[in-house]
Amino acid sequence: MLFRSTNLFHYNASDKLSDAIKKRLDKSKYKLTEDVCLIPEGYDLKLYPDVAVFASNFKYSSSGAITTNPIFVAEIISPSSRRKDTAVKPKIYEQIGVKEYWLVDPYGKCVTAYMYNESSHALEYIDTYQKLSAEDLETMPDEPQDMRLDFLDVTINISEIFEE
């Protein structure tokens, strides 16, 4: 049996991001999952996205693994998975056509957003959002704190994911 370990920083970031998305999610159109097995269509591999959103008509196997490709994926970076989350998984998600991919770093309190470009068939960098202290916000008021979640046409403030 496969046991996946995580720590409190990873758990908190995943939990808060999921909560922020769930508040805005039309449950008749979308399904949010956390750490559920994904076997992408046409691939012989198993992924366990930290947070994923699928169209509500998603398909799954008899074992309960989701076989429909997600619309949105967020991976929470852990020290043990940093290279895989930043270099390997984005390429896989790009190949299967994930529309939005977020890398959430609970240690640096930042989120890096990527959007799938239909023309180039690639995940392209959009922005990096950094949780700033109140003092930093006074000196850098133009720093983006609202992260755009295009598939829902909403924004999520970074403070919803990272506490002071």
Side-chain angles (χ1 to χ4, degrees):
M1 175 158 210
L2 174 67
F3 289 98
R4 296 182 44 174
S5 64
T6 189
N7 62 41
L8 187 59
F9 305 118
H10 185 284
Y11 170 80
N12 283 341
S14 178
D15 187 51
K16 289 179 184 293
L17 176 60
S18 293
D19 286 349
I21 293 172
K22 283 179 190 175
K23 283 188 224 174
R24 296 158 172 92
L25 199 64
D26 179 344
K27 291 166 186 62
S28 68
K29 293 181 182 178
Y30 304 105
K31 171 72 174 171
L32 183 140
T33 64
E34 297 175 71
D35 292 315
V36 173
C37 183
L38 165 65
I39 301 174
E41 295 172 16
Y43 290 84
D44 187 27
L45 63 108
K46 291 181 182 179
L47 300 166
Y48 295 84
D50 292 318
V51 177
V53 176
F54 299 86
S56 62
N57 62 347
F58 67 94
K59 295 179 176 114
Y60 53 93
S61 67
S62 59
S63 68
I66 297 175
T67 56
T68 300
N69 295 336
I71 298 165
F72 169 82
V73 170
E75 290 290 350
I76 314 302
I77 298 173
S78 295
S80 63
S81 68
R82 181 171 292 280
R83 190 188 75 72
K84 193 181 336 179
D85 291 337
T86 59
V88 177
K89 288 181 183 178
K91 294 296 178 199
I92 295 169
Y93 292 130
E94 181 178 83
Q95 288 175 354
I96 66 172
V98 169
K99 302 298 181 208
E100 294 183 62
Y101 180 67
W102 284 9
L103 278 170
V104 180
D105 183 349
Y107 301 93
K109 293 189 178 181
C110 67
V111 175
T112 304
Y114 298 87
M115 179 80 66
Y116 188 77
N117 181 318
E118 296 287 340
S119 304
S120 65
H121 303 287
L123 281 172
E124 295 182 353
Y125 172 81
I126 299 299
D127 209 340
T128 298
Y129 305 91
Q130 180 77 46
K131 172 72 172 131
L132 299 174
S133 68
E135 299 82 36
D136 287 339
L137 280 172
E138 286 179 20
T139 60
M140 298 183 286
D142 293 336
E143 283 297 305
Q145 296 289 290
D146 287 330
M147 303 172 295
R148 180 108 183 111
L149 197 52
D150 271 21
F151 84 93
L152 287 179
D153 194 26
V154 299
T155 58
I156 295 174
N157 192 283
I158 198 161
S159 64
E160 293 180 68
I161 301 169
F162 304 116
E163 298 173 348
E164 284 296 325

